[in-house]
């Protein structure tokens, strides 16, 4: 898988060098997380409609690989607002920071003020927006800019007309798709071990890791068994290669089809469009399911998932979080239906924001 990813990155890099691009879309587009790829394609899709040539570039290798240099760049969303990533961007565009946009980024790192490079980046970029209101308020205070906004995740704009049509269909197949992850850990054979990095970041999960994992596995297996007993076809859907391995552990000895991992967002979106029910753990698996109008049973494994569901009008009593599992709670068994009008509003809002961001960046110089 790693070699395949590197080959695809090399093809992207060479293609951009040969054909040229006007805007670089820079993010976590390494190919081993479908949600990250969907973020990039959400921006690229709109640039294509405007006739602007663009290319996805991987933020982790932006100063290591000879990516095509461009006058304009959009740092395109997601959990890439870490200091090591932002310093790479600041160094690459140090003389033209006003031609940059930080669009829908999660700023979860601490002590940005300790880096002059990052603070200079924040102050000079022509556009800066966040994925939730709390972050936008924090960033406004940090750099004393009042034009910092927040908006739905960029993926809400992805294939919005296709998704709108899917939400009107009533002939969904009797299929349960389930997406699972190795919660805050790594797979070792058929066991999971907690990742040490979360000992300080989320100590409540690290200390009760086995309780959380056992409740997760047992809960998902119970959901699968209930669906099978009700005549549903059950398939796993993965947003990273590790999700495939986790699905096989959870689904052992059960009648399940395991779909291969793909980094093609549209391919996965179409696959998910056929399902009546979706159990979603990954943030973007949840968003795909919401956009497609499926019945969703969300497992809010990360804080961003909790914020998403609460912003869409659901109280914590309507879903289970990783903390709940660590505290001995079981998966809720509740499938949620999302208001189609609100979903469409979020899609349109996000679509308009991306368009506005592009126009503002291009208008510079």
């Amino acid at each position: 898988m790693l070699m395949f990813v590197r080959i695809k990155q090399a093809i992207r890099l060479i293609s951009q060098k040969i054909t040229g691009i006007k805007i670089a879309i820079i993010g976590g587009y390494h190919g081993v997380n479908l949600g990250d790829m969907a973020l990039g394609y959400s921006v690229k899709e709109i640039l294509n409609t405007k006739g602007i040539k663009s290319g996805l570039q991987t933020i982790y290798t932006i100063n290591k690989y000879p990516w095509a240099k461009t006058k304009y760049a959009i740092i395109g969303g997601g959990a890439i607002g870490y200091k090591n990533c932002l310093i790479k961007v600041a160094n690459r565009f140090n003389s033209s920071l006003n031609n940059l946009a930080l669009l829908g980024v999660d700023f979860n790192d601490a002590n940005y003020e300790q880096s002059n490079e990052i603070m200079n980046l924040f102050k000079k970029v022509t556009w800066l927006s966040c994925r939730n209101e709390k972050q936008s308020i924090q960033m406004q205070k940090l750099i004393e800019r009042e034009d910092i906004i927040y908006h739905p995740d960029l993926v809400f704009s992805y294939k919005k007309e296709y998704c709108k049509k899917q939400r009107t269909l009533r002939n969904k197949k009797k299929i349960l798709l389930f997406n699972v992850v190795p919660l805050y850990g790594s797979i070792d054979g058929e066991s999971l071990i907690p990742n040490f990095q979360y000992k300080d970041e989320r100590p409540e999960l690290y200390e009760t890791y086995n309780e959380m994992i056992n409740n997760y596995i047992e809960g998902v297996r119970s959901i699968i068994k209930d669906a099978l007993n009700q005549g549903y076809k059950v398939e796993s859907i993965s947003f990273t290669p590790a999700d495939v391995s986790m699905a096989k552990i959870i689904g052992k000895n059960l009648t399940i089809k395991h779909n291969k991992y793909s980094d093609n967002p549209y391919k996965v979106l179409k696959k998910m469009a056929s399902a009546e029910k979706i159990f979603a753990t990954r943030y973007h698996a949840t968003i795909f399911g919401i956009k497609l109008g499926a019945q969703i049973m969300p497992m809010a494994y990360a804080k961003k998932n909790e914020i998403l569901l609460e912003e869409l009008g659901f109280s914590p009593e309507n879903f289970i979080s990783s903390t709940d599992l660590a505290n001995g709670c079981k998966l809720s068994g509740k499938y949620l239906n999302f208001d189609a009008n609100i979903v469409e509003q979020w899609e349109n809002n996000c679509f308009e924001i991306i368009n506005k961001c592009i126009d503002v960046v291009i208008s510079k110089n």
Side-chain angles (χ1 to χ4, degrees), residues 137-160:
I137 294 171
Q138 290 174 340
M139 294 298 288
Q140 286 174 19
K141 292 179 179 178
L142 177 66
I143 56 179
E144 298 180 345
R145 280 184 63 165
E146 296 181 356
D147 61 341
I148 299 171
I149 65 171
Y150 69 97
H151 50 80
D153 184 88
L154 302 183
V155 172
F156 271 98
S157 77
Y158 185 65
K159 302 293 182 188
K160 71 184 189 74

Side-chain angles (χ1 to χ4, degrees), residues 259-322:
N259 292 293
K260 294 180 180 179
Y261 169 73
S262 170
D263 67 354
N264 183 327
Y266 190 40
K267 178 180 178 180
V268 175
L269 190 71
K270 288 194 294 183
K271 175 65 181 177
M272 294 178 69
S274 65
E276 180 182 303
K277 294 182 177 180
I278 296 174
F279 175 88
T281 307
R282 290 275 177 200
Y283 183 74
H284 286 108
T286 305
I287 291 177
F288 271 24
I290 291 169
K291 284 167 59 65
L292 292 166
Q295 296 177 46
I296 309 292
M297 189 187 299
M299 208 303 281
Y301 87 102
K303 292 295 184 181
K304 60 186 176 184
N305 298 58
E306 296 178 43
I307 293 171
L308 171 70
L309 294 168
E310 289 173 8
E311 287 181 341
L312 282 165
F314 293 97
S315 67
E317 290 75 26
N318 294 120
F319 57 86
I320 294 294
S321 68
S322 295

Side-chain angles (χ1 to χ4, degrees), residues 23-27 29 43 47 72-76 100-101 103 357-358 361:
I23 293 185
I25 310 169
I26 302 172
Y29 316 132
V43 179
L47 283 164
Y72 307 103
I74 293 175
I75 316 305
L100 295 189
L103 175 62
C357 174
I358 292 168
V361 171

Side-chain angles (χ1 to χ4, degrees), residues 183-184 194 198-199 201-213 300-303 321-327:
L183 290 179
Y184 297 99
Y198 296 111
K199 187 174 183 179
E201 186 176 331
R202 299 203 68 178
E204 79 281 7
L205 304 184
Y206 187 87
E207 292 168 5
T208 55
Y209 188 77
N210 289 336
E211 174 86 2
M212 177 181 68
I213 285 296
Y301 87 102
K303 292 295 184 181
S321 68
S322 295
T323 302
D324 292 329
L325 292 176
N327 289 336

Side-chain angles (χ1 to χ4, degrees), residues 159-298:
K159 302 293 182 188
K160 71 184 189 74
E161 296 304 323
Y162 171 82
C163 291
K164 181 178 180 179
K165 181 179 179 181
Q166 295 304 312
R167 290 195 296 273
T168 66
L169 300 179
R170 296 291 178 266
N171 59 339
K172 301 284 186 179
K173 296 180 181 178
K174 201 170 182 178
I175 294 174
L176 166 67
L177 290 178
F178 73 98
N179 165 252
V180 290
V181 307
L183 290 179
Y184 297 99
S186 301
I187 297 172
D188 182 13
E190 293 190 356
S191 301
L192 283 99
I193 54 175
N195 287 339
F196 187 75
Q197 70 186 83
Y198 296 111
K199 187 174 183 179
D200 293 326
E201 186 176 331
R202 299 203 68 178
E204 79 281 7
L205 304 184
Y206 187 87
E207 292 168 5
T208 55
Y209 188 77
N210 289 336
E211 174 86 2
M212 177 181 68
I213 285 296
N214 289 337
N215 284 333
Y216 184 53
I217 292 174
E218 291 173 9
V220 177
R221 283 183 64 86
S222 177
I223 290 164
I224 292 171
K225 289 176 182 177
D226 286 346
L228 290 171
N229 289 336
Q230 294 170 25
Y232 281 81
K233 181 180 179 183
V234 179
E235 302 182 24
S236 66
I237 194 80
S238 300
F239 275 58
T240 76
D243 296 358
V244 179
S245 300
M246 187 65 180
K248 290 179 179 179
I249 290 173
I250 289 179
K252 187 177 181 179
N253 299 324
L254 297 177
T255 307
I256 294 169
K257 176 184 176 182
H258 293 290
N259 292 293
K260 294 180 180 179
Y261 169 73
S262 170
D263 67 354
N264 183 327
Y266 190 40
K267 178 180 178 180
V268 175
L269 190 71
K270 288 194 294 183
K271 175 65 181 177
M272 294 178 69
S274 65
E276 180 182 303
K277 294 182 177 180
I278 296 174
F279 175 88
T281 307
R282 290 275 177 200
Y283 183 74
H284 286 108
T286 305
I287 291 177
F288 271 24
I290 291 169
K291 284 167 59 65
L292 292 166
Q295 296 177 46
I296 309 292
M297 189 187 299

Side-chain angles (χ1 to χ4, degrees), residues 81-88 90 102 109 111-124 139 142-143:
Y82 294 103
K83 288 185 284 189
N84 63 329
C85 293
L86 295 172
I87 287 173
K88 291 176 183 178
L102 296 172
D109 225 337
N111 304 317
Y112 290 117
E113 66 277 6
Q114 294 178 359
S115 168
N116 291 332
E117 296 158 297
I118 292 175
M119 292 300 289
N120 190 45
L121 171 72
F122 287 161
K123 290 176 181 179
K124 290 188 176 180
M139 294 298 288
L142 177 66
I143 56 179

